[in-house]
PDB file of all heavy atoms in Angstrom:
ATOM      1  N   ARG A  12      17.999   5.263  -0.183  1.00 98.00           N
ATOM      2  CA  ARG A  12      16.916   5.976  -0.867  1.00 98.00           C
ATOM      3  C   ARG A  12      17.110   7.497  -0.859  1.00 98.00           C
ATOM      4  O   ARG A  12      17.460   8.093   0.161  1.00 98.00           O
ATOM      5  CB  ARG A  12      15.580   5.630  -0.219  1.00 98.00           C
ATOM      6  CG  ARG A  12      15.293   4.133  -0.210  1.00 98.00           C
ATOM      7  CD  ARG A  12      13.847   3.834   0.043  1.00 98.00           C
ATOM      8  NE  ARG A  12      13.287   4.632   1.114  1.00 98.00           N
ATOM      9  CZ  ARG A  12      11.988   4.734   1.357  1.00 98.00           C
ATOM     10  NH1 ARG A  12      11.132   4.084   0.598  1.00 98.00           N
ATOM     11  NH2 ARG A  12      11.548   5.478   2.338  1.00 98.00           N
ATOM     12  N   ARG A  20      13.878  13.816   8.603  1.00 98.00           N
ATOM     13  CA  ARG A  20      13.939  15.112   9.290  1.00 98.00           C
ATOM     14  C   ARG A  20      12.555  15.674   9.611  1.00 98.00           C
ATOM     15  O   ARG A  20      12.441  16.772  10.137  1.00 98.00           O
ATOM     16  CB  ARG A  20      14.714  16.113   8.428  1.00 98.00           C
ATOM     17  CG  ARG A  20      16.218  15.831   8.356  1.00 98.00           C
ATOM     18  CD  ARG A  20      16.982  17.003   7.768  1.00 98.00           C
ATOM     19  NE  ARG A  20      16.723  17.149   6.364  1.00 98.00           N
ATOM     20  CZ  ARG A  20      17.613  16.912   5.383  1.00 98.00           C
ATOM     21  NH1 ARG A  20      18.835  16.512   5.693  1.00 98.00           N
ATOM     22  NH2 ARG A  20      17.307  17.071   4.120  1.00 98.00           N
ATOM     23  N   TYR A 118     -12.606  20.028  15.406  1.00 97.00           N
ATOM     24  CA  TYR A 118     -13.298  19.833  16.680  1.00 97.00           C
ATOM     25  C   TYR A 118     -14.746  20.322  16.538  1.00 97.00           C
ATOM     26  O   TYR A 118     -15.698  19.642  16.907  1.00 97.00           O
ATOM     27  CB  TYR A 118     -12.606  20.629  17.792  1.00 97.00           C
ATOM     28  CG  TYR A 118     -11.153  20.276  18.041  1.00 97.00           C
ATOM     29  CD1 TYR A 118     -10.145  20.677  17.180  1.00 97.00           C
ATOM     30  CD2 TYR A 118     -10.785  19.559  19.181  1.00 97.00           C
ATOM     31  CE1 TYR A 118      -8.815  20.373  17.418  1.00 97.00           C
ATOM     32  CE2 TYR A 118      -9.455  19.247  19.444  1.00 97.00           C
ATOM     33  CZ  TYR A 118      -8.473  19.664  18.549  1.00 97.00           C
ATOM     34  OH  TYR A 118      -7.170  19.357  18.795  1.00 97.00           O
ATOM     35  N   ASP A 122     -18.393  18.311  16.573  1.00 97.00           N
ATOM     36  CA  ASP A 122     -19.492  18.696  17.475  1.00 97.00           C
ATOM     37  C   ASP A 122     -20.791  18.838  16.687  1.00 97.00           C
ATOM     38  O   ASP A 122     -21.840  18.328  17.077  1.00 97.00           O
ATOM     39  CB  ASP A 122     -19.208  20.057  18.128  1.00 97.00           C
ATOM     40  CG  ASP A 122     -18.106  19.998  19.164  1.00 97.00           C
ATOM     41  OD1 ASP A 122     -17.730  18.885  19.562  1.00 97.00           O
ATOM     42  OD2 ASP A 122     -17.634  21.082  19.565  1.00 97.00           O
ATOM     43  N   ALA A 192      -6.356  -2.630   5.477  1.00 98.00           N
ATOM     44  CA  ALA A 192      -4.965  -2.255   5.202  1.00 98.00           C
ATOM     45  C   ALA A 192      -4.340  -1.498   6.370  1.00 98.00           C
ATOM     46  O   ALA A 192      -3.161  -1.645   6.642  1.00 98.00           O
ATOM     47  CB  ALA A 192      -4.896  -1.404   3.936  1.00 98.00           C
ATOM     48  N   GLU A 702      -5.341 -10.082  12.914  1.00 97.00           N
ATOM     49  CA  GLU A 702      -6.190  -9.028  12.360  1.00 97.00           C
ATOM     50  C   GLU A 702      -7.524  -9.587  11.879  1.00 97.00           C
ATOM     51  O   GLU A 702      -7.574 -10.342  10.908  1.00 97.00           O
ATOM     52  CB  GLU A 702      -5.458  -8.323  11.207  1.00 97.00           C
ATOM     53  CG  GLU A 702      -4.214  -7.585  11.691  1.00 97.00           C
ATOM     54  CD  GLU A 702      -3.357  -7.085  10.546  1.00 97.00           C
ATOM     55  OE1 GLU A 702      -3.818  -7.103   9.390  1.00 97.00           O
ATOM     56  OE2 GLU A 702      -2.212  -6.678  10.817  1.00 97.00           O
ATOM     57  N   PRO A 723       0.319  -6.029  14.161  1.00 98.00           N
ATOM     58  CA  PRO A 723       1.531  -6.448  14.881  1.00 98.00           C
ATOM     59  C   PRO A 723       2.458  -5.282  15.207  1.00 98.00           C
ATOM     60  O   PRO A 723       2.657  -4.382  14.388  1.00 98.00           O
ATOM     61  CB  PRO A 723       2.224  -7.408  13.910  1.00 98.00           C
ATOM     62  CG  PRO A 723       1.181  -7.830  12.941  1.00 98.00           C
ATOM     63  CD  PRO A 723       0.201  -6.701  12.858  1.00 98.00           C
ATOM     64  N   TYR A 724       3.010  -5.306  16.402  1.00 98.00           N
ATOM     65  CA  TYR A 724       4.145  -4.464  16.765  1.00 98.00           C
ATOM     66  C   TYR A 724       5.434  -5.244  16.474  1.00 98.00           C
ATOM     67  O   TYR A 724       5.387  -6.423  16.083  1.00 98.00           O
ATOM     68  CB  TYR A 724       4.089  -4.117  18.258  1.00 98.00           C
ATOM     69  CG  TYR A 724       3.050  -3.092  18.643  1.00 98.00           C
ATOM     70  CD1 TYR A 724       1.807  -3.474  19.129  1.00 98.00           C
ATOM     71  CD2 TYR A 724       3.331  -1.731  18.565  1.00 98.00           C
ATOM     72  CE1 TYR A 724       0.854  -2.539  19.500  1.00 98.00           C
ATOM     73  CE2 TYR A 724       2.379  -0.780  18.947  1.00 98.00           C
ATOM     74  CZ  TYR A 724       1.147  -1.183  19.413  1.00 98.00           C
ATOM     75  OH  TYR A 724       0.224  -0.255  19.783  1.00 98.00           O
ATOM     76  N   ASN A 730      12.464 -12.814  13.487  1.00 97.00           N
ATOM     77  CA  ASN A 730      13.497 -12.641  12.458  1.00 97.00           C
ATOM     78  C   ASN A 730      13.100 -13.468  11.240  1.00 97.00           C
ATOM     79  O   ASN A 730      12.509 -14.544  11.369  1.00 97.00           O
ATOM     80  CB  ASN A 730      14.855 -13.081  12.994  1.00 97.00           C
ATOM     81  CG  ASN A 730      15.372 -12.097  14.039  1.00 97.00           C
ATOM     82  OD1 ASN A 730      14.867 -10.975  14.145  1.00 97.00           O
ATOM     83  ND2 ASN A 730      16.354 -12.502  14.801  1.00 97.00           N
TER      84      ASN A 730
ATOM     85  N   ARG B  36      -9.330  22.484  24.493  1.00 97.00           N
ATOM     86  CA  ARG B  36      -9.298  21.066  24.152  1.00 97.00           C
ATOM     87  C   ARG B  36      -8.353  20.758  22.991  1.00 97.00           C
ATOM     88  O   ARG B  36      -8.387  19.655  22.456  1.00 97.00           O
ATOM     89  CB  ARG B  36     -10.705  20.573  23.828  1.00 97.00           C
ATOM     90  CG  ARG B  36     -11.355  21.281  22.657  1.00 97.00           C
ATOM     91  CD  ARG B  36     -12.676  20.626  22.319  1.00 97.00           C
ATOM     92  NE  ARG B  36     -13.451  21.437  21.391  1.00 97.00           N
ATOM     93  CZ  ARG B  36     -14.532  20.997  20.771  1.00 97.00           C
ATOM     94  NH1 ARG B  36     -14.963  19.782  20.990  1.00 97.00           N
ATOM     95  NH2 ARG B  36     -15.189  21.779  19.942  1.00 97.00           N
ATOM     96  N   ASP B  41      -2.052  18.706  17.517  1.00 97.00           N
ATOM     97  CA  ASP B  41      -2.590  19.757  16.648  1.00 97.00           C
ATOM     98  C   ASP B  41      -1.892  21.092  16.898  1.00 97.00           C
ATOM     99  O   ASP B  41      -1.672  21.876  15.972  1.00 97.00           O
ATOM    100  CB  ASP B  41      -4.104  19.919  16.874  1.00 97.00           C
ATOM    101  CG  ASP B  41      -4.902  18.810  16.193  1.00 97.00           C
ATOM    102  OD1 ASP B  41      -4.346  18.159  15.282  1.00 97.00           O
ATOM    103  OD2 ASP B  41      -6.061  18.587  16.574  1.00 97.00           O
ATOM    104  N   VAL B  60      -2.168   4.642  20.413  1.00 97.00           N
ATOM    105  CA  VAL B  60      -1.729   3.280  20.151  1.00 97.00           C
ATOM    106  C   VAL B  60      -0.566   3.232  19.168  1.00 97.00           C
ATOM    107  O   VAL B  60       0.362   2.446  19.327  1.00 97.00           O
ATOM    108  CB  VAL B  60      -2.897   2.427  19.611  1.00 97.00           C
ATOM    109  CG1 VAL B  60      -2.443   0.990  19.374  1.00 97.00           C
ATOM    110  CG2 VAL B  60      -4.054   2.456  20.584  1.00 97.00           C
ATOM    111  N   GLY B  99      21.224  20.329   8.431  1.00 95.00           N
ATOM    112  CA  GLY B  99      20.499  19.207   7.833  1.00 95.00           C
ATOM    113  C   GLY B  99      21.179  17.862   8.022  1.00 95.00           C
ATOM    114  O   GLY B  99      20.599  16.823   7.710  1.00 95.00           O
ATOM    115  N   GLN B 115       9.807   3.218   5.034  1.00 98.00           N
ATOM    116  CA  GLN B 115       9.274   3.162   3.675  1.00 98.00           C
ATOM    117  C   GLN B 115       8.438   4.407   3.421  1.00 98.00           C
ATOM    118  O   GLN B 115       8.914   5.380   2.859  1.00 98.00           O
ATOM    119  CB  GLN B 115       8.530   1.849   3.427  1.00 98.00           C
ATOM    120  CG  GLN B 115       9.518   0.661   3.371  1.00 98.00           C
ATOM    121  CD  GLN B 115       8.866  -0.670   3.072  1.00 98.00           C
ATOM    122  OE1 GLN B 115       7.827  -0.759   2.456  1.00 98.00           O
ATOM    123  NE2 GLN B 115       9.514  -1.744   3.538  1.00 98.00           N
ATOM    124  N   ASP B 141      17.959  -8.685  20.352  1.00 95.00           N
ATOM    125  CA  ASP B 141      16.787  -8.611  19.468  1.00 95.00           C
ATOM    126  C   ASP B 141      15.523  -8.334  20.267  1.00 95.00           C
ATOM    127  O   ASP B 141      14.721  -7.459  19.917  1.00 95.00           O
ATOM    128  CB  ASP B 141      16.607  -9.937  18.701  1.00 95.00           C
ATOM    129  CG  ASP B 141      17.532 -10.017  17.500  1.00 95.00           C
ATOM    130  OD1 ASP B 141      18.339  -9.097  17.297  1.00 95.00           O
ATOM    131  OD2 ASP B 141      17.425 -11.018  16.766  1.00 95.00           O
ATOM    132  N   ARG B 145      13.099  -5.022  20.386  1.00 98.00           N
ATOM    133  CA  ARG B 145      11.649  -5.153  20.108  1.00 98.00           C
ATOM    134  C   ARG B 145      10.845  -4.487  21.221  1.00 98.00           C
ATOM    135  O   ARG B 145       9.867  -3.785  20.968  1.00 98.00           O
ATOM    136  CB  ARG B 145      11.266  -6.630  19.993  1.00 98.00           C
ATOM    137  CG  ARG B 145      11.663  -7.245  18.671  1.00 98.00           C
ATOM    138  CD  ARG B 145      11.074  -8.634  18.495  1.00 98.00           C
ATOM    139  NE  ARG B 145      11.234  -9.083  17.125  1.00 98.00           N
ATOM    140  CZ  ARG B 145      12.313  -9.737  16.667  1.00 98.00           C
ATOM    141  NH1 ARG B 145      13.300 -10.030  17.481  1.00 98.00           N
ATOM    142  NH2 ARG B 145      12.391 -10.088  15.393  1.00 98.00           N
ATOM    143  N   ARG B 154       3.491   0.012   9.472  1.00 98.00           N
ATOM    144  CA  ARG B 154       2.738  -0.906   8.611  1.00 98.00           C
ATOM    145  C   ARG B 154       3.531  -1.291   7.369  1.00 98.00           C
ATOM    146  O   ARG B 154       3.106  -2.157   6.629  1.00 98.00           O
ATOM    147  CB  ARG B 154       1.415  -0.224   8.225  1.00 98.00           C
ATOM    148  CG  ARG B 154       0.337  -1.128   7.711  1.00 98.00           C
ATOM    149  CD  ARG B 154      -0.042  -2.254   8.656  1.00 98.00           C
ATOM    150  NE  ARG B 154      -1.330  -2.836   8.302  1.00 98.00           N
ATOM    151  CZ  ARG B 154      -1.749  -4.022   8.711  1.00 98.00           C
ATOM    152  NH1 ARG B 154      -0.987  -4.775   9.483  1.00 98.00           N
ATOM    153  NH2 ARG B 154      -2.947  -4.466   8.355  1.00 98.00           N
ATOM    154  N   TYR B 158       9.387  -4.088  10.570  1.00 98.00           N
ATOM    155  CA  TYR B 158      10.202  -3.794  11.749  1.00 98.00           C
ATOM    156  C   TYR B 158      11.653  -4.271  11.716  1.00 98.00           C
ATOM    157  O   TYR B 158      12.487  -3.726  12.432  1.00 98.00           O
ATOM    158  CB  TYR B 158       9.559  -4.365  13.040  1.00 98.00           C
ATOM    159  CG  TYR B 158       8.187  -3.856  13.319  1.00 98.00           C
ATOM    160  CD1 TYR B 158       7.066  -4.642  13.075  1.00 98.00           C
ATOM    161  CD2 TYR B 158       7.981  -2.564  13.808  1.00 98.00           C
ATOM    162  CE1 TYR B 158       5.790  -4.184  13.331  1.00 98.00           C
ATOM    163  CE2 TYR B 158       6.705  -2.091  14.072  1.00 98.00           C
ATOM    164  CZ  TYR B 158       5.609  -2.905  13.827  1.00 98.00           C
ATOM    165  OH  TYR B 158       4.344  -2.447  14.092  1.00 98.00           O
TER     166      TYR B 158
END
Side-chain angles (χ1 to χ4, degrees):
Chain A
R12 303 197 316 167
R20 289 193 289 249
Y118 301 75
D122 288 347
E702 295 170 12
Y724 286 97
N730 289 345
Chain B
R36 60 174 168 169
D41 283 341
V60 182
Q115 290 182 26
D141 279 3
R145 283 189 168 88
R154 198 57 163 162
Y158 302 104

